[in-house]
Amino acid sequence: MSEHEGQEMTDKEQFRVIEEPFYQPQGNELALYEAAYAARLPVMVKGPTGCGKSRFIEYMAWKLGKPLITVACNEDMTASDLVGRYLLEANGTRWLDGPLTIAARIGAICYLDEIVEARQDTTVVIHPLTDHRRTLPLDKKGELIHAHPDFQLVISYNPGYQSLMKDLKQSTKQRFTAFEFDYPDADLEAAILCSESGIDSRIAGQLVNIGASARRLKGHGLDEGISTRLLVYAATLIKGGVAPRDACRMALVRPITDDHDIRDTLDHAIDVTFA
Amino acid sequence: MSEHEGQEMTDKEQFRVIEEPFYQPQGNELALYEAAYAARLPVMVKGPTGCGKSRFIEYMAWKLGKPLITVACNEDMTASDLVGRYLLEANGTRWLDGPLTIAARIGAICYLDEIVEARQDTTVVIHPLTDHRRTLPLDKKGELIHAHPDFQLVISYNPGYQSLMKDLKQSTKQRFTAFEFDYPDADLEAAILCSESGIDSRIAGQLVNIGASARRLKGHGLDEGISTRLLVYAATLIKGGVAPRDACRMALVRPITDDHDIRDTLDHAIDVTFA
Amino acid sequence: MSEHEGQEMTDKEQFRVIEEPFYQPQGNELALYEAAYAARLPVMVKGPTGCGKSRFIEYMAWKLGKPLITVACNEDMTASDLVGRYLLEANGTRWLDGPLTIAARIGAICYLDEIVEARQDTTVVIHPLTDHRRTLPLDKKGELIHAHPDFQLVISYNPGYQSLMKDLKQSTKQRFTAFEFDYPDADLEAAILCSESGIDSRIAGQLVNIGASARRLKGHGLDEGISTRLLVYAATLIKGGVAPRDACRMALVRPITDDHDIRDTLDHAIDVTFA
Amino acid sequence: MSEHEGQEMTDKEQFRVIEEPFYQPQGNELALYEAAYAARLPVMVKGPTGCGKSRFIEYMAWKLGKPLITVACNEDMTASDLVGRYLLEANGTRWLDGPLTIAARIGAICYLDEIVEARQDTTVVIHPLTDHRRTLPLDKKGELIHAHPDFQLVISYNPGYQSLMKDLKQSTKQRFTAFEFDYPDADLEAAILCSESGIDSRIAGQLVNIGASARRLKGHGLDEGISTRLLVYAATLIKGGVAPRDACRMALVRPITDDHDIRDTLDHAIDVTFA
Amino acid sequence: MSEHEGQEMTDKEQFRVIEEPFYQPQGNELALYEAAYAARLPVMVKGPTGCGKSRFIEYMAWKLGKPLITVACNEDMTASDLVGRYLLEANGTRWLDGPLTIAARIGAICYLDEIVEARQDTTVVIHPLTDHRRTLPLDKKGELIHAHPDFQLVISYNPGYQSLMKDLKQSTKQRFTAFEFDYPDADLEAAILCSESGIDSRIAGQLVNIGASARRLKGHGLDEGISTRLLVYAATLIKGGVAPRDACRMALVRPITDDHDIRDTLDHAIDVTFA
Amino acid sequence: MSEHEGQEMTDKEQFRVIEEPFYQPQGNELALYEAAYAARLPVMVKGPTGCGKSRFIEYMAWKLGKPLITVACNEDMTASDLVGRYLLEANGTRWLDGPLTIAARIGAICYLDEIVEARQDTTVVIHPLTDHRRTLPLDKKGELIHAHPDFQLVISYNPGYQSLMKDLKQSTKQRFTAFEFDYPDADLEAAILCSESGIDSRIAGQLVNIGASARRLKGHGLDEGISTRLLVYAATLIKGGVAPRDACRMALVRPITDDHDIRDTLDHAIDVTFA
């Protein structure tokens, strides 16, 4: 085994999802994802903050037994952050593969979270990886990488955020199959709360009801509904001994709004629920 | 054979299009391209996303037996990314040719994809390569390259995208002959679906109908029609066992729109087609 | 004990809050914070300038016996300022951990003050530290840090400042539990003035009354009310022998407004109080 | 005495204000400043161009016998310009303290002139120096400086300039006590003109009258009134033999306006005065 | 002969216009240019895209027997790109003259094509070369170059392009004598087509007619008329065996417009001409 | 004589104005400038393009026998370009004085042409050189320069250009005495034309008349009038044998306008004059 192969084995191990992530399917998304992966079609996951998009991809990587490399995109991220760059060292420069390059080499699922935040040069970099070429040109290194047969590209994107200034170009969108996510339905969400925090199902149901109320305010004073993640926070605090009203104010209301009217409306809903 | 010639031979081989790309002519574009190439006139290919512009150039490079160097342009791309730059190394600096320079040296067809995305200094760099001079000045290296007799410059451009802020200057446009592409007609597109995915022609025809419906919505809620590429995705998923309704939702609708009304309209068309 | 462990011991000592900070609780915030820390939930503290947010975190770090690393965020701050960077040295480059990385390694409470001022790439960096992963990828170093079990992330934020252009994204907000602060009530604030400056309680009460008057002008010509900090300044000057009217003009009015009408209104209130 | 202490002695000498600056008090500002300095409260001096703000601070530094380090802020000034940076040298890098760091080390009064011009990261740098911490973190050097007991921070700021885009944040303002300056009254200003230029008091009075006229035009065609500095210029030219009308046109009118009507109005006032 | 003189000889040879460029005078511009050159007055050539501005300067350089250095300006071009810069090498830095500096040293005609595209610092650099000083300060090198007696500066500029944001400053314009160009008249243009492509004069006349029709649409749907260059392209394709209708569509219409109505109007004119 | 003094002698010689520049006084500006210089007051020269501002300063430098260092300012010019910077060399870094620093050291008149074009950090750099301090801090070098007794700062500025975005700050303006220039009157301007080009006075008078007509169009279609410089160009061409009508079109009209109506109006005036 060459040194290079040895490094790839190590990388593969490092990015393996070892423990089964907790994931509750909402429909036939597991089978559809497997079909997309079987054809190595690029995948886009869409949906609101904290609804479980990243968890789904993590779960699929575990289920398929493939390494997963996640990159949280941001507006200062350039193509070099994905592809790699030369580092200046004592003896000249050394090339350092970026996460996309590593994924293409070792056959990982590369998950670009909130791709739309990144600068547009990054989206161009992924184009040749998403059509029949499945290649990644490292222009600065003068190398053309042919993606490993197991490699797949996944991106996430939150339609609620996109402004006119920040949207994926159609020439990028039309390279992906897409999954649309939403918050889990009430029973499933309550089950998730119980499973993750250990609270009983009655309180879980009450928290889910508060979440449902808040989500109806989206577009009427709230930019986003209360995510499942925040409901888990509230449940955790309650389980830890905090009074439900305090836990809800602290985990569900104060983080998401600075508006006094909205705050009072939500506080009232909490007081009624835990009267 | 000098070391330099040896390097050029290697580069030539690396960029050779070895396998015949699948390309179905839509008219006499092959002959017209050959005439433009014979006179080494620069070529511009125009048309919507995913209609086969890049495939056409790849096919012509194969047919003419010339190396092809493709550069996906982006808004952070500068002239140096095309022309080359000095790399800092242990023993000082080393010049690294950029893709345009390599193409001019070895006599490749250089294909600048979505040129209009690049910064304007890149368009100025290509000017002396597109008139009687056929030269490329490497200002930072103090070298003037006379393009190889086989060199040709090709650019692509999607008129649907161009905003007022981002358009080619007339002084650039007026250096090119132009080919205008559109989606293939129905029979041809169905044939492409069968050939690329292996589905039968009845389903191919149904998918092409859905594509035609969606393209009529362009400018009425859709920025772009459904590309041939996405139809191939849907066909591939169906061939892989996914129910046609699921495959179409996932490959044709979810990727291209976040608008609920448009989504429902397209979903309805799918349900009617695959009732 | 390895050299690395030795360094961590030193860092821990350096960031330990040794003396008990003066902090007067306003409600059950101590217990709620302890519950959040027990579950290692990320915490956001909200409230106006100079109301004691930073002091509260300093106090909790002392109470919990955990090191505290404070970072004052600013609009030129990038992810590298938090995470670390390579320094160029005589023998090549040396990696220097940033404050967030140090905190994650040694198990400190990392307090990002006015996080909203920082560039958005910084907020993305903190995401994997605020969910079940509790990891910090050092992309440039090729290292993935798993946060020390004692590590907790705290951010502050002043809702009064946020413009439309500068606000935390919901995908960031929904990773935190939140504490909402306000100025202390009158008795508590007077006690603070006495304790910090040594003035007598009558003058302290008079200063608190002036503060209360000014806070009612917020939104009616004043961007912010007079902070407790400025009241302490005035008290200190009076204790140092400055006439109360001069001390108040200099510490309470001139710093916060350039508007002549507002200035005269506040000066009048001072003259009436110290008539 | 260590080498480091020796360097600090040298720095202290270099920034000592040796000669008593000419300063004519306008009220009890000397005593108030001494009280602020005694408590080491940060000081802000506000007022129009050329009214003597910088001279006042220079005078106080001389009176208190403390070194003075002045930094003229500008919009390209970053935190590193204040704090220090690594210089690349033949044997690697060497740290160079910035002026704020030097001031904090040696116990100087650090005077940041027109602070509002600087980029916002600079204002964040000064925050920990202006509260109970009195510290300056050199993040890039991994050093936390505890300010010398004699250190004090002073900033200046011209309220007439501030646009909506450029203003100090309240979280910065509320860290300072403030002195508000204006042009000296007529008798004092005439005395200054005599003292600085050597002209007789009659001409000084005439110049002061012209200044007073011009200051009434502020906001009615003039952005700022004529400063005491320009009156000193005119007096100097007259003393040097230039005709008063020429001196006033050249020193008082042409520098401050390009508007023909305003120019003629001021020229007329000059002609009437020196008829 | 010193090494420096040897280098200059080499540079002179490299930039010599060896072959007589094809240029058909339109008036007395040859004599006027010679008069401007005799007095070394700077020259500006104005006119639409592809009307022969660059060819004229190339011709004059040949006729006068002077080296010609052409620089295609672009919006990322800075003064350093014109003047020169230090390159980092193994043994420290080496100065590399820019094209303007070389021209000033060897006595070339320096032709800055589309100067208005460059950043404004470039226009300031040329000022001292265009008045009685005829000097070029290399600030970074600490050298003041006195231009060679044969040096002349020429700029081009297309008035049709200039937006309000991008125009030469009057302080730059008023340093040049100016030549105004337009498309050649019909007979001359037909002669050019015959001479450059080898087609017969009847077809040449037909192409010129189409060009004339299109130029009348300038400002009525077309940003620019069809240039002589594009007419030469069409002629070349026809000579190469392409049907005139196809050649005109491909060389004259598709490159210059994306508007369907304009396209159809021009196509119709072509069909009528080649009926 | 030390090496440093030797260098300063050399610098002084290099910037000495050796030949008397041709300058025709328009009033008592010579005496006024001498008075300003005697008191070392900073000077601002205002006026339209090409009216002789730079020539005046050059003349005064010659008359006073002081070295003159001219810096053409531009919007990319930073404080470092004026003050100096470290250059990276084989043996580490070497400090290179900028032109302002050299001027302050050797006692030159430093002339910042079109100062308003420079970035604002440059204007802050000159402040301590323009008040009683007469110092220039080289922050990056840790050196404080006390200006040579002969040093004087002069700036130019064209009021016609200033937009709201680009104007000197009052805190800068109020540090200068100011000279306002305009085009020379007719007789003087004709004398200048004769003296500089050698044409006879009749033609000179005709050219001056054309100039006067054009200047009346300023603000009515022309941004600036025709400068004396352009009149000298026309005179030079006529002296060189060009027909007056051609010379005027080429030197007076084509450079300053792209507007067809204005062009025709001016051409007509030329034809009438040289009928």
Side-chain angles (χ1 to χ4, degrees), chain A residues 28 32 35 46 91-93 119 121 124 130 132 140 157 169-171 173-180, chain B residues 49 58 72-74 76 88 90 96 114 117 161 225 227 229-230 233 242 246 250 254-258 263:
Chain A
N28 62 342
L32 292 177
K46 301 163 56 170
N91 304 318
T93 55
R119 292 173 66 176
D121 67 341
V124 168
T130 53
H132 67 287
K140 289 186 181 144
Y157 147 105
K169 296 193 298 176
Q170 281 287 337
S171 63
K173 286 182 176 177
Q174 299 218 1
R175 293 166 174 281
F176 289 87
T177 60
F179 289 79
E180 198 171 7
Chain B
T49 289
E58 211 181 332
C73 300
N74 66 71
D76 294 311
L88 194 62
L96 188 71
E114 299 203 41
E117 294 294 323
Y161 278 4
S227 66
R229 178 186 291 128
L230 288 186
Y233 278 11
V242 173
D246 284 340
M250 180 173 159
R254 300 303 176 270
I256 66 167
T257 185
D258 303 328
R263 192 189 63 190

Side-chain angles (χ1 to χ4, degrees), chain D residues 7-81:
Chain D
Q7 176 60 42
E8 288 193 357
M9 285 298 292
T10 311
D11 279 346
K12 262 186 170 154
E13 278 319 300
Q14 180 179 353
F15 295 109
R16 187 81 57 195
V17 181
I18 292 158
E19 230 168 303
E20 175 176 355
F22 175 81
Y23 182 77
Q24 198 75 23
Q26 303 187 30
N28 62 342
E29 71 264 31
L30 303 192
L32 293 177
Y33 189 100
E34 285 178 327
Y37 183 78
R40 297 300 183 270
L41 297 181
V43 161
M44 174 197 300
V45 287
K46 300 163 55 170
T49 290
C51 71
K53 299 186 297 290
S54 300
R55 196 71 75 90
F56 170 58
I57 300 304
E58 210 180 331
Y59 180 80
M60 291 310 303
W62 171 84
K63 194 159 189 297
L64 295 163
K66 303 296 170 200
L68 172 67
I69 298 183
T70 298
V71 183
C73 300
N74 67 71
E75 63 182 12
D76 295 311
M77 203 177 78
T78 65
S80 295
D81 293 320

Side-chain angles (χ1 to χ4, degrees), chain A residues 6-19:
Chain A
Q7 177 62 41
E8 287 193 358
M9 286 298 293
T10 311
D11 279 346
K12 264 186 170 157
E13 278 319 301
Q14 180 179 352
F15 294 109
R16 186 81 56 196
V17 183
I18 291 157
E19 231 169 300

Side-chain angles (χ1 to χ4, degrees), chain B residues 77-140:
Chain B
M77 202 176 79
T78 64
S80 294
D81 293 319
L82 285 180
V83 165
R85 56 165 55 84
Y86 281 102
L87 287 187
L88 194 62
E89 298 204 329
N91 304 318
T93 55
R94 183 174 60 93
W95 174 263
L96 188 71
D97 277 346
L100 182 62
T101 306
I102 297 174
R105 284 196 207 276
I106 68 172
I109 293 171
C110 187
Y111 177 43
L112 304 179
D113 197 9
E114 299 203 41
I115 178 75
V116 83
E117 294 294 323
R119 293 175 66 176
Q120 289 209 355
D121 67 341
T122 60
T123 65
V124 168
V125 158
I126 63 179
H127 280 195
L129 276 170
T130 54
D131 57 28
H132 67 287
R133 292 173 286 178
R134 285 179 63 86
T135 54
L136 175 62
L138 308 182
D139 285 344
K140 288 184 183 146

Side-chain angles (χ1 to χ4, degrees), chain A residues 146-157:
Chain A
H146 293 272
H148 186 286
D150 286 357
F151 172 80
Q152 187 199 26
L153 191 70
V154 181
I155 64 177
S156 80
Y157 147 105

Side-chain angles (χ1 to χ4, degrees), chain C residues 2-214:
Chain C
S2 75
E3 185 192 341
H4 202 244
E5 287 170 312
Q7 177 62 40
E8 289 193 357
M9 286 297 293
T10 311
D11 279 347
K12 264 186 170 155
E13 278 319 300
Q14 180 179 353
F15 295 109
R16 187 81 56 195
V17 182
I18 291 158
E19 230 168 301
E20 175 176 356
F22 175 81
Y23 182 77
Q24 198 75 24
Q26 303 187 30
N28 62 342
E29 71 264 29
L30 302 192
L32 292 178
Y33 189 100
E34 285 178 326
Y37 183 79
R40 298 298 184 272
L41 296 181
V43 161
M44 175 197 300
V45 287
K46 299 162 57 170
T49 289
C51 70
K53 300 186 297 289
S54 300
R55 197 70 76 91
F56 170 58
I57 299 304
E58 212 181 331
Y59 180 80
M60 291 310 304
W62 171 84
K63 194 158 189 299
L64 294 164
K66 302 297 169 200
L68 172 67
I69 298 184
T70 298
V71 183
C73 300
N74 67 72
E75 62 182 12
D76 294 312
M77 203 177 77
T78 64
S80 294
D81 293 319
L82 285 180
V83 165
R85 55 165 57 84
Y86 281 103
L87 286 187
L88 193 63
E89 298 204 330
N91 304 319
T93 56
R94 183 174 60 92
W95 175 263
L96 187 72
D97 276 347
L100 183 63
T101 306
I102 296 174
R105 284 195 206 276
I106 69 174
I109 294 171
C110 187
Y111 176 42
L112 304 181
D113 196 10
E114 299 202 43
I115 177 75
V116 84
E117 294 293 323
R119 293 173 65 175
Q120 289 208 356
D121 67 341
T122 59
T123 64
V124 167
V125 158
I126 63 180
H127 281 196
L129 276 171
T130 53
D131 58 28
H132 67 287
R133 291 172 286 177
R134 284 178 63 86
T135 54
L136 175 62
L138 308 183
D139 286 343
K140 289 186 182 145
K141 207 177 162 219
E143 184 182 345
L144 185 75
I145 294 185
H146 293 272
H148 186 286
D150 286 357
F151 172 80
Q152 186 198 29
L153 191 69
V154 181
I155 63 177
S156 80
Y157 146 105
N158 182 343
Y161 279 5
Q162 311 331 125
S163 64
L164 284 175
M165 293 306 299
K166 269 201 171 176
D167 195 2
L168 286 178
K169 297 193 296 177
Q170 282 287 337
S171 63
T172 301
K173 286 183 176 177
Q174 300 218 0
R175 292 165 175 280
F176 290 87
T177 60
F179 289 80
E180 197 170 10
F181 281 76
D182 208 340
Y183 303 113
D185 67 33
D187 288 349
L188 179 55
E189 195 164 42
I192 292 172
L193 298 193
C194 297
S195 155
E196 297 229 351
S197 73
I199 54 167
D200 64 44
S201 62
R202 193 180 51 85
I203 293 182
Q206 289 170 310
L207 289 172
V208 166
N209 283 344
I210 294 170
S213 308

